[in-house]
Amino acid sequence: MRATVIHGEGDVRLEEVADPVLHSGRDAIVRVVAACVCGSDLWPYRGVGNAPEPKRIGHEFVGVVEAVGDDVSEVAVGDFVIAPFYDCDMTCANCVNGVSTSCLDGGWWGADDREGHLADGGQGERVRVPHADGTLAVVPGPVDPALVPHLLTLSDVMGTGHHAAVSAGVREGSTVVVVGDGAVGLCGVLASARLGAARIVIMSRNPARQALAREFGATDVVELRGDEGIAAVKELFDGIGPDAVLECVGTRESMEQAIRSARPGGQVGYVGVPKGGAELPIGELFGRNVNVAGGVAPVRNYIAELLPEVLDGSLQPGRVFDLELPLDEVAEAYLAMHERRAIKSLLRVSEV
Amino acid sequence: MRATVIHGEGDVRLEEVADPVLHSGRDAIVRVVAACVCGSDLWPYRGVGNAPEPKRIGHEFVGVVEAVGDDVSEVAVGDFVIAPFYDCDMTCANCVNGVSTSCLDGGWWGADDREGHLADGGQGERVRVPHADGTLAVVPGPVDPALVPHLLTLSDVMGTGHHAAVSAGVREGSTVVVVGDGAVGLCGVLASARLGAARIVIMSRNPARQALAREFGATDVVELRGDEGIAAVKELFDGIGPDAVLECVGTRESMEQAIRSARPGGQVGYVGVPKGGAELPIGELFGRNVNVAGGVAPVRNYIAELLPEVLDGSLQPGRVFDLELPLDEVAEAYLAMHERRAIKSLLRVSEV
């Protein structure tokens, strides 16, 4: 089969690789229908962090089950499924506590599982899925092909935006600021609106992203950054700042802006993968009782809550995809996001 | 009148100072009945932080109102009152949001208020109280003298322990670890029990403090520290750690221990004044979704909830006082705490 391999900075290639096989009775093989490129895929693509080596990549996908091991009971051949951006058993103490990203038996796409077998990357034609009963969420069929982009967001970006909003304590009537106008930030706007926020500010300088944010429920746009951006935000909220700030970037600067924007007693929900060794300034947090919550989003746990609204059409997070390409053109899918020509690229791999 | 002045490391003295006078129509003068020494008073006493200069000290007191300004309406001469460890108007946006420690008009005992007049320290015979209607909580009289120690804890230590527990998200059925066996940590145990925690571990090596913690509701004691302490705690909770950790010390070591003890998705509630430039390790927090909440405790906001239980005798946080001295002996009150001969020292100043 063909799958995406990252070879180094700016170098992703679709290559012929070994077909996946069932290694355990708990495995399934999924034929990928659609996958996408994550903002976090861009970090190795940009040469940030460890030097990339040839490595399978991609961790967001939906597809149809082609084979299951003998011990799989919740998922059947032919089911349309959503895979979260990690695998998890959904039975361990952490999964039961709602934190499936800390699954005691879990792992990551494109890396070896705990038995030493590769869990394929998501940007390919097929994927072997460890402990499929836990990892995969079945979408009741038949699945309308038009819903595929929206369903695909439950694999990561919508669940992650939702985690930012939940972690920031967004509820009915909350005042919210979203730092970051990427796909996660935009989904954070949508999640905040869905949770009943009274007012939602997006920090953005990009007209197209501002427009989508407004369609997702943003009530205000602030284009300023740094001290000026913080002052503008405070002015919107009685001079003290909003109840909740969603940090959806992951740099030291964005986190500091988020913390300093929140009102005393406010809460920062963060989901941006921390980069640059940023530590949290405890003195600033302590003096103003600003809380910090979040982390790597347990999106598998959120699918049950979000899926019904995607199926009935009331939640349309797939609108963050503004570029759709066949799997062949995965290199362009990365490049367009890297150059900020696209918010988020969807890869069509096979028919529903 | 006489009041306590700190002159330098290890040097607190009871001295003759000017009697307080009403400077504003919103002021009151309170005759102090009882005051106490806070763990945070020990930092300048130990020479940590800024070099102490002659400065009025003490921020926890209860007393009887002797005079009020023309604009005071909620507090009357003769009322028995509890002062929080700061002054606040209880009408600004932050006070209304429950964060009176960030009062837009507030200040600190022993320092000048916003009009440049000294708000006396609490370890003295009388105190001028800015915006008395907000700052002071009236205790319905007549007040049983036996309740004075318990009422005094609502000025800081019980409200602060309660804030640690609330910030850590303690609720019915929570599993809890308390880091710190000082008066705040012990009140954190009591607050956690009151909020319905199912299991409460106190980290302590001191038999007397362990005993009081058990009387306050601790179910387990862990004497180990560092990696061994964390391992012992995790073992008590299914290998993953507790839901909630109360950080009641304020050092880098204690905060790291708290963060590393919490289960994935768990929450650290912290109230120890951060010392030593400790910053929060965001990578550790992110990967395990450990949330950090808390700060300088808005105890004024908590009095309404806690006072009825003190008055009916069901909540007895005053048991943290294991040394009671007349105001004359304030130097010994500090020394006994500094040498860890006392958990917390109460100063008797006048009759109820």
Side-chain angles (χ1 to χ4, degrees):
Chain A
M1 69 160 185
R2 297 175 309 157
T4 304
V5 178
I6 183 164
H7 284 262
E9 190 174 337
D11 183 6
V12 291
R13 306 177 201 165
L14 190 67
E15 297 185 350
E16 196 64 31
V17 300
D19 282 333
V21 295
L22 299 173
H23 282 296
S24 140
R26 301 167 69 198
D27 287 351
I29 306 293
V30 170
R31 167 174 61 81
V32 177
V33 167
C36 52
V37 181
C38 182
S40 68
D41 291 331
L42 292 184
W43 293 102
Y45 183 82
R46 287 168 171 162
V48 176
N50 297 331
E53 53 194 77
K55 187 176 183 305
R56 301 278 278 280
I57 193 167
H59 55 254
E60 297 163 80
F61 63 98
V62 294
V64 175
V65 177
E66 282 198 334
V68 296
D70 291 341
D71 302 327
V72 172
S73 59
E74 303 293 318
V75 176
V77 171
D79 282 348
F80 188 97
V81 291
I82 302 167
F85 64 83
Y86 51 91
D87 65 78
C88 55
D89 64 18
M90 292 300 277
T91 56
C92 78
N94 291 328
C95 284
V96 169
N97 279 331
V99 196
S100 52
T101 37
S102 291
C103 177
L104 298 171
D105 198 26
W108 309 96
W109 305 116
D112 284 353
D113 68 12
R114 287 165 194 253
E115 279 78 48
H117 300 296
L118 177 71
D120 302 79
Q123 293 158 1
E125 292 180 320
R126 282 178 182 73
V127 173
R128 181 184 67 86
V129 176
H131 31 81
D133 276 346
T135 304
L136 297 173
V138 175
V139 179
V143 171
D144 178 354
L147 289 182
V148 166
H150 306 300
L151 295 167
L152 179 56
T153 66
L154 301 186
S155 181
D156 186 343
V157 63
M158 180 61 202
T160 295
H162 179 68
H163 189 55
V166 169
S167 297
V170 176
R171 65 201 69 173
E172 199 71 33
S174 293
T175 54
V176 178
V177 167
V178 178
V179 178
D181 65 357
V184 172
L186 293 165
C187 285
V189 170
L190 185 59
S192 296
R194 180 182 168 276
L195 291 167
R199 197 164 175 186
I200 304 169
V201 178
I202 180 86
M203 311 288 290
S204 173
R205 297 175 163 185
N206 178 308
R209 295 170 189 228
Q210 292 173 4
L212 185 53
R214 286 195 186 274
E215 289 175 42
F216 275 178
T219 54
D220 301 84
V221 171
V222 169
E223 296 200 345
L224 300 166
R225 293 188 188 175
D227 288 344
E228 288 183 323
I230 293 165
V233 162
K234 286 193 184 289
E235 198 171 315
L236 288 174
F237 298 108
D238 300 328
I240 61 172
D243 303 323
V245 183
L246 280 54
E247 197 292 299
C248 303
V249 180
T251 62
R252 174 183 279 272
E253 293 70 29
S254 60
M255 181 56 99
E256 283 185 4
Q257 178 162 324
I259 290 169
R260 292 176 53 210
S261 296
R263 69 162 172 82
Q267 192 146 323
V268 173
Y270 74 111
V271 291
V273 182
K275 286 166 289 290
E279 296 209 331
L280 296 175
I282 194 170
E284 169 83 13
L285 297 169
F286 182 85
R288 302 197 306 119
N289 273 278
V290 172
N291 303 334
V292 177
V296 55
V299 300
R300 178 65 183 87
N301 298 84
Y302 293 134
I303 293 176
E305 177 177 349
L306 300 173
L307 179 59
E309 296 175 35
V310 168
L311 290 176
D312 74 17
S314 59
L315 188 65
Q316 302 194 323
R319 297 174 67 195
V320 296
F321 295 112
D322 55 353
L323 180 64
E324 208 174 298
L325 295 168
L327 181 59
D328 291 8
E329 295 182 38
V330 63
E332 167 60 13
Y334 274 76
L335 190 62
M337 282 176 65
H338 169 64
E339 294 177 346
R340 285 177 74 90
R341 285 182 281 118
I343 297 174
K344 193 169 175 74
S345 308
L346 182 147
L347 295 162
R348 288 279 181 183
V349 183
S350 66
E351 296 300 309
V352 173
Chain B
M1 68 160 184
R2 297 175 307 157
T4 304
V5 178
I6 183 164
H7 285 261
E9 189 174 337
D11 183 6
V12 291
R13 306 177 201 165
L14 191 67
E15 296 185 351
E16 197 64 32
V17 299
D19 283 332
V21 295
L22 299 172
H23 282 296
S24 141
R26 301 166 68 198
D27 287 351
I29 306 292
V30 170
R31 166 175 61 81
V32 176
V33 168
C36 52
V37 181
C38 182
S40 67
D41 291 332
L42 292 184
W43 293 101
Y45 183 81
R46 288 169 171 162
V48 176
N50 296 331
E53 52 193 77
K55 186 175 183 307
R56 300 278 278 279
I57 193 166
H59 55 253
E60 298 164 78
F61 63 98
V62 294
V64 175
V65 176
E66 282 198 334
V68 295
D70 292 342
D71 303 325
V72 172
S73 59
E74 303 293 318
V75 176
V77 172
D79 283 348
F80 188 97
V81 290
I82 302 166
F85 63 84
Y86 51 91
D87 65 78
C88 54
D89 63 19
M90 291 301 277
T91 56
C92 78
N94 290 329
C95 284
V96 169
N97 280 331
V99 197
S100 53
T101 36
S102 290
C103 177
L104 297 171
D105 198 24
W108 309 97
W109 305 116
D112 283 356
D113 68 13
R114 286 163 194 255
E115 278 78 48
H117 300 297
L118 177 71
D120 303 79
Q123 293 157 0
E125 292 180 321
R126 283 179 182 74
V127 173
R128 182 184 68 85
V129 176
H131 31 80
D133 276 346
T135 304
L136 297 173
V138 176
V139 179
V143 171
D144 177 354
L147 289 182
V148 166
H150 306 299
L151 294 168
L152 179 57
T153 66
L154 301 186
S155 180
D156 185 344
V157 65
M158 181 61 202
T160 296
H162 179 68
H163 189 55
V166 169
S167 297
V170 176
R171 66 202 68 174
E172 199 71 32
S174 293
T175 54
V176 178
V177 167
V178 179
V179 177
D181 65 357
V184 171
L186 293 165
C187 285
V189 170
L190 185 59
S192 297
R194 179 182 169 277
L195 291 167
R199 196 164 176 186
I200 304 169
V201 178
I202 179 86
M203 311 289 289
S204 173
R205 297 177 163 183
N206 179 308
R209 294 170 190 227
Q210 292 173 4
L212 185 54
R214 286 195 185 273
E215 289 175 43
F216 276 178
T219 54
D220 301 84
V221 172
V222 169
E223 296 201 344
L224 299 166
R225 293 188 188 175
D227 289 344
E228 289 183 322
I230 293 165
V233 162
K234 286 194 186 288
E235 197 171 316
L236 286 173
F237 298 107
D238 300 327
I240 61 171
D243 303 324
V245 183
L246 280 56
E247 197 293 298
C248 303
V249 180
T251 62
R252 173 183 278 273
E253 293 70 29
S254 60
M255 182 56 98
E256 283 184 4
Q257 178 162 325
I259 289 170
R260 291 177 54 211
S261 296
R263 69 162 172 82
Q267 193 145 323
V268 174
Y270 75 110
V271 291
V273 182
K275 287 166 290 290
E279 295 209 332
L280 297 176
I282 194 170
E284 169 83 14
L285 296 169
F286 181 85
R288 302 196 307 120
N289 274 278
V290 172
N291 303 334
V292 177
V296 54
V299 300
R300 177 65 183 86
N301 297 85
Y302 292 135
I303 293 177
E305 177 177 348
L306 300 173
L307 178 58
E309 296 174 34
V310 167
L311 290 176
D312 73 18
S314 60
L315 189 66
Q316 302 195 323
R319 296 173 67 197
V320 295
F321 295 113
D322 55 352
L323 180 64
E324 207 174 299
L325 295 168
L327 182 59
D328 290 9
E329 295 181 38
V330 63
E332 168 60 13
Y334 274 75
L335 191 60
M337 282 176 65
H338 169 63
E339 294 177 346
R340 286 179 72 91
R341 285 183 281 119
I343 298 174
K344 193 167 176 74
S345 307
L346 183 147
L347 295 162
R348 289 281 182 183
V349 184
S350 67
E351 297 299 311
V352 174

